[in-house]
């Protein structure tokens, strides 16, 4: 599997381009502010063809460039219905300081021509890849994570694209519109803690980690117990 990730924009949001290998179709995860140029570079260097954009949630720092990326490659945008309204009205989900930062800018937001909705338990099969979708509310109502299959080669661990649910040493904030701290704790206990330790976590911000490392060291997971 080819995974190319880079931080984009003033928020440093990680954008990922994922494919089975060079010269293949690919998917783009969370194209944030100024991510279009980075996506184009990865696509050109690896001779890829984007067919879909997967959004872990609807916050502006994760979907800022969804319209130009989808438009450039005629790709479908995938998002959970609880966050779909943020595609055309991202100001509904951001903090006052972020809103002030964007004031005066000439930014237009709208849904891409083709939008598909994600749901809990869905398996998305795109570009020769599979992703298990988990609805993981707390950071936003429509937050989701994407996990690659567990049954790949033994030397290739599964990968969790965690968005802003889980970071190395921390979790996503819950004080923005749509945030819900009890829901986040429920998500962590029911979705994250049951995962296998060897799963590699590629978060929405910061460096990669593993589920095992976060279970052992992340203070937000220390007092939680696995629940169903």
């Amino acid at each position: 599997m080819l995974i190319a990730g880079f931080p984009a924009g003033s928020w440093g949001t990680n954008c990922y381009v994922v494919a089975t290998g060079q010269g293949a179709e690919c998917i783009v995860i969370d194209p944030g502010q100024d991510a279009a140029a980075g996506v184009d570079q990865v696509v050109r260097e690896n001779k890829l063809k984007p067919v879909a954009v997967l959004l872990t949630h609807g916050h502006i720092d994760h979907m800022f460039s969804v319209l130009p990326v989808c438009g450039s490659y005629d790709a479908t945008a995938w998002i959970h219905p609880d966050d779909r309204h943020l595609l055309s009205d991202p100001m509904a989900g951001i903090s006052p300081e972020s809103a002030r930062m964007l004031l005066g800018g000439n930014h237009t937001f709208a849904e891409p021509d083709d939008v598909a909705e994600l749901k809990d338990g869905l398996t998305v099969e795109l570009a020769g890849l599979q992703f298990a979708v988990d609805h993981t509310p707390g950071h936003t109502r429509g937050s989701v994570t994407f996990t690659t299959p567990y049954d790949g080669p033994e030397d290739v661990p599964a990968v969790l694209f965690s968005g802003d649910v889980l970071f190395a040493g921390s979790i996503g904030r819950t004080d923005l519109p749509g945030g819900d701290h009890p829901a986040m704790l429920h998500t962590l206990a029911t979705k994250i803690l049951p995962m296998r330790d060897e799963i590699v976590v590629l978060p929405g911000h910061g460096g990669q980690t593993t589920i095992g490392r976060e279970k052992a060291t992340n203070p937000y997971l220390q007092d939680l117990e696995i629940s169903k």
Side-chain angles (χ1 to χ4, degrees):
M1 183 185 297
L2 184 159
I3 302 177
F6 58 92
S10 55
W11 291 284
T13 305
N14 291 328
C15 176
Y16 299 99
V17 179
V18 189
T20 57
Q22 292 187 332
E25 294 183 335
C26 69
I27 60 97
V28 179
I29 298 176
D30 288 354
Q33 184 185 31
D34 301 329
V39 170
D40 181 65
Q41 180 178 347
V42 173
V43 166
R44 286 187 291 104
E45 289 178 351
N46 294 280
K47 298 179 173 60
L48 302 174
K49 175 180 171 49
V51 296
V53 172
L54 304 184
L55 297 171
T56 61
H57 61 291
H59 277 164
I60 193 169
D61 59 323
H62 289 252
M63 51 64 68
F64 197 103
S65 298
V66 65
L67 196 61
V69 171
C70 285
S72 294
Y73 304 106
D74 193 25
T76 301
W78 291 74
I79 191 168
H80 192 277
D82 287 349
D83 276 11
R84 184 168 177 170
H85 67 286
L86 296 174
L87 291 175
S88 56
D89 184 21
M91 296 297 181
I94 65 176
S95 63
E97 59 266 27
S98 293
R100 286 193 296 270
M101 184 176 70
L102 290 169
L103 286 177
N106 185 22
H107 306 297
T108 300
F109 297 98
E111 286 196 0
D113 290 338
D114 190 8
V115 178
E117 293 188 345
L118 300 164
K119 64 179 180 179
D120 189 55
L122 179 68
T123 298
V124 176
E125 299 187 21
L126 296 163
L129 302 162
Q130 286 188 353
F131 299 93
V133 178
D134 280 302
H135 183 209
T136 51
H139 181 61
T140 68
R141 295 185 183 93
S143 288
V144 299
T145 60
F146 305 106
T147 311
T148 62
Y150 296 128
D151 56 358
E154 291 185 3
D155 60 338
V156 180
V159 176
L160 169 69
F161 295 93
S162 64
D164 285 2
V165 173
L166 181 68
F167 305 131
S170 190
I171 60 173
R173 59 190 294 184
T174 58
D175 60 333
L176 298 175
D180 184 328
H181 193 67
M184 175 67 91
L185 295 180
H186 181 74
T187 283
L188 296 173
T190 59
K191 301 291 189 177
I192 300 301
L193 283 182
M195 289 187 170
R196 299 182 184 183
D197 289 354
E198 67 270 19
I199 293 175
V200 175
V201 180
L202 297 181
H205 301 270
Q208 74 178 50
T209 183
T210 65
I211 290 293
R213 184 181 303 155
E214 295 314 300
K215 288 179 184 178
T217 64
N218 191 317
Y220 293 95
L221 303 183
Q222 296 305 296
D223 297 327
L224 295 177
E225 295 182 358
I226 294 176
S227 60
K228 297 181 180 180

